Amino acid sequence: MMSDAVSVSYAVGRADLVSPLIDRVCTLYDEVFSAPPFFWRDDESQLHRDRLGRLLRDESFGAATASAGVELVGFAYGFTVPATTTRWAGLREPVAPAVAMEWPGRTFLLFDFAVHPSWRGRGVGRHLHDLLLGSRAEERATLTVQPTAEDTKRLYRRWGWRQVGQIDGDATAAAPVFDVFLRDSLVDLRAGQPMP
């Protein structure tokens, strides 16, 4: 993937943004997450495609993409955590009631986020992060990351996230265990962003 002298264009939207790019998103996901330090299961490529297909049908789905010419070089997407979620109860250690409390529209789950290795260190990931989260109406956001991804976790901390615990992956999860992060507010990312 060529990364010199090519500008990056960004887009933010819903399922209609990602649906035509599903093959490119899946290819980039496979390239990023099949490499160390990530855990990669033999059936992860198909499991990811299946998960993404389900997410695209969620009315709260939101995404941001980064492209250099015709090449997809990054993406970020997620959905609103339902008020009936068991996410917080599933953590290995209990969290404060104020963290675990959900109501409709409180929390956005940044579900998948990837930047092609040749485009890292150029601000592409930060721009995708801020663009997507800044476009959301939710009060806060959460995400999970594999414990071995130390560089990724350092970035998240620098971008205002804090680790609140760990959760076990289910039978179709990308990894057996995840570190759970929370960003308590999205207000600082909303300046100049269109709200849904």
Side-chain angles (χ1 to χ4, degrees):
M1 193 170 283
M2 186 67 168
S3 61
D4 293 330
V6 178
S7 64
V8 178
S9 61
Y10 297 90
V12 65
R14 299 210 176 260
D16 59 342
L17 172 66
V18 174
S19 292
L21 302 173
I22 194 164
D23 289 334
R24 288 187 242 173
V25 167
C26 290
T27 297
L28 181 54
Y29 178 94
D30 291 355
E31 186 168 353
V32 168
F33 293 107
S34 66
F38 299 104
F39 175 86
W40 184 259
R41 44 189 291 167
D42 292 339
D43 56 352
E44 178 55 25
S45 185
Q46 186 59 50
L47 289 171
H48 167 255
R49 185 177 285 272
D50 294 345
R51 286 190 301 265
L52 179 54
R54 285 190 301 274
L55 289 178
L56 289 171
R57 294 189 296 273
D58 188 313
E59 290 183 15
S60 70
F61 180 85
T65 60
S67 299
V70 298
E71 296 295 326
L72 181 72
V73 298
F75 63 79
Y77 58 78
F79 60 94
T80 305
V81 175
T84 57
T85 186
T86 59
R87 176 180 185 79
W88 306 110
L91 295 180
R92 288 180 167 182
E93 299 292 329
V95 292
V99 171
M101 188 180 304
E102 284 294 346
W103 52 80
R106 183 180 192 202
T107 308
F108 180 73
L109 173 57
L110 179 54
F111 195 78
D112 280 324
F113 181 24
V115 175
H116 191 278
S118 68
W119 285 89
R120 293 180 190 156
R122 299 167 182 248
V124 173
R126 182 63 190 257
H127 194 92
L128 281 169
H129 172 273
D130 292 358
L131 181 64
L132 177 58
L133 295 182
S135 74
R136 301 301 301 189
E138 292 87 357
E139 165 186 324
R140 65 183 189 169
T142 185
L143 60 79
T144 56
V145 63
Q146 294 183 24
T148 55
E150 293 296 337
D151 290 342
T152 302
K153 292 190 294 185
R154 271 192 291 279
L155 272 177
Y156 288 141
R157 287 184 184 101
R158 198 166 55 224
W159 296 348
W161 296 82
R162 65 185 173 96
Q163 186 173 343
V164 294
Q166 283 193 319
I167 194 166
D168 293 317
D170 65 21
T172 62
V177 65
F178 297 93
D179 291 341
V180 179
F181 280 72
L182 185 68
R183 195 174 200 278
D184 296 300
S185 176
L186 302 182
V187 172
D188 61 315
L189 300 176
R190 292 197 179 115
Q193 296 288 340
M195 296 305 291

